Amino acid sequence: MCIERSLASYTYKSNEENKVGSWRYVEPFFNEKIAPCVFNCPVKQDINGIYTHLKINTSNDEVTGSELRTKALRTIFQFMVDKNPLLYATSSVCPAFCQQQCNRGYVDEALRIRETEKVIAIENIDVSLPVPDKNNSLNKRVAIIGGGPAGLSAAYQLARVNVTVEIFEREEQCGGLLTYGIPESRLDRTPLNQEISRIINSYDSISVNAGEEIDATKINKLQNDFDYTIIATGQPSPITIDNNDVLYGLDILWNYHKQIYTFPKNKKIAVLGSGNTAMDVAALAIEEGNKATIVCRESYENMTAHTLEIQHVESKGVEFYTDAEFIFFEKKSRSLTVKKNNQEEVLPFDEVIICYGQMNDSLSEIFASNEKVYIINKIGNPANSVAEAIEAGYRVANNILHKHGISLHLSEQKETVTKEMINIDYWKDHISQSFD
């Protein structure tokens, strides 16, 4: 006897409405995707994991009050510093790429991830960093030129597997842009210095040579004493123009924080440029008792600084003169000449500070093809950030370790969960019911 069996079921209605027929033969599977907050975080911090840890460690009935809070934040801190040893710095100055793309914003508001990170950083500012891994130890020596966020990040990751690291920093303190660039109104130096000192002091294999300028000749000599060299000097030189009466924002920021430069008082200052450096200079000019105006070629909507930085200087009273191209400045006559709407205009300013970006140093070109030298150039482009510098240090450390069979955890490339994949109406109803 032969019984015929249909190879496929048939339904008269669209399967989009009626999930029957052929759907009965479809086996469900779990397709893991990455949250947009994680995808957009330069450090690729596991934000889902942070909030999962927070939930687990605050749901223990045996632990209550301040003890519960301390325990929960300590656990999350150890989880987060695995990738980022400068949590206070990033929670203070990062433009919060994660929050900008948070899907929760389509339901009510984005999770306050940066604020969460800052609480965790401050509560654990005296907590030690993870001890070196005795089972993963690499007997190598690495010289790092530059003790900014990228150099510190690389040193931290290498020291965790007992690599001997020597940092060569031209200034008297490590920190780079964090220490000498960003105004203290945005980045408190006390907890910042604690974070930097903690990285250096937590590992016997890290040493620092401060106040020492390293040139190409010295780097060539260092290669005789070290297995690898990392150039993490950023982009330390400002782009200059042919005008002797102007000042340069990067130089002002550095010298101001070294107490070499003093802002004038009660002056009208034009800051040319629309990037993050321009915003920091304008903010300092206001704080020092001056009137500051951002003058830039871009429209307000197309300025290259991060939105949070623009909002910060606006709150301080900085004004904006956009769509204007610089032509010339004469200090004696207080005349700033610009072109706007195809016509020249003369604006009265006492000082003009140029913030047109930064240049790579010559070291990047000299050692570009040297296999024992790794070059990090992440700070300087207006689209870059401190978090991206930290990620660059993490990645270059991983590249060195990978050569010797040791790998740091790098996030897998997965499809991002978009708002179109989420039943927004369901979550809106779910959230409203939870507050009823």
Side-chain angles (χ1 to χ4, degrees), residues 333-390:
S333 61
R334 299 180 66 249
S335 302
L336 169 61
T337 306
V338 299
K339 181 183 285 188
K340 186 178 174 74
N341 298 326
N342 293 321
Q343 293 185 341
E344 288 191 6
E345 297 182 19
V346 178
L347 309 174
F349 284 100
D350 299 294
E351 296 279 7
V352 168
I353 302 173
I354 302 293
C355 302
Y356 283 167
Q358 292 135 248
M359 300 183 294
N360 289 331
D361 56 26
S362 59
L363 297 179
S364 301
E365 299 175 4
I366 295 171
F367 295 98
S369 60
N370 191 318
E371 293 184 357
K372 291 181 64 177
V373 178
Y374 291 80
I375 301 168
I376 300 176
N377 274 327
K378 294 298 287 185
I379 295 295
N381 187 310
N384 290 151
S385 66
V386 171
E388 288 170 297
I390 292 170

Side-chain angles (χ1 to χ4, degrees), residues 261-417:
Y261 175 82
T262 303
F263 274 92
K265 303 291 183 183
N266 301 314
K267 300 294 183 180
K268 286 189 66 177
I269 298 176
V271 181
L272 273 60
S274 69
N276 299 323
T277 299
M279 301 303 148
D280 285 338
V281 171
L284 275 178
I286 290 282
E287 291 171 13
E288 293 294 323
N290 299 287
K291 291 183 178 180
T293 302
I294 295 288
V295 180
C296 61
R297 291 175 296 181
E298 297 83 1
S299 65
Y300 180 88
E301 294 75 19
N302 292 322
M303 289 193 297
T304 55
H306 299 302
T307 302
L308 288 177
E309 294 207 30
I310 296 171
Q311 292 172 347
H312 174 71
V313 299
E314 277 187 310
S315 70
K316 288 183 169 293
V318 172
E319 297 179 351
F320 296 87
Y321 194 78
T322 60
D323 303 290
E325 184 178 353
F326 171 79
I327 295 179
F328 197 75
F329 174 64
E330 185 181 75
K331 185 170 182 177
K332 185 177 180 180
S333 61
R334 299 180 66 249
S335 302
L336 169 61
T337 306
V338 299
K339 181 183 285 188
K340 186 178 174 74
N341 298 326
N342 293 321
Q343 293 185 341
E344 288 191 6
E345 297 182 19
V346 178
L347 309 174
F349 284 100
D350 299 294
E351 296 279 7
V352 168
I353 302 173
I354 302 293
C355 302
Y356 283 167
Q358 292 135 248
M359 300 183 294
N360 289 331
D361 56 26
S362 59
L363 297 179
S364 301
E365 299 175 4
I366 295 171
F367 295 98
S369 60
N370 191 318
E371 293 184 357
K372 291 181 64 177
V373 178
Y374 291 80
I375 301 168
I376 300 176
N377 274 327
K378 294 298 287 185
I379 295 295
N381 187 310
N384 290 151
S385 66
V386 171
E388 288 170 297
I390 292 170
E391 188 276 336
Y394 182 97
R395 191 166 292 275
V396 78
N398 181 71
N399 289 344
I400 291 173
L401 296 176
H402 187 70
K403 283 188 172 183
H404 301 278
I406 301 173
S407 293
L408 303 175
H409 174 72
L410 295 176
S411 299
E412 299 177 43
Q413 295 295 322
K414 298 178 183 177
E415 184 182 3
T416 306
V417 178

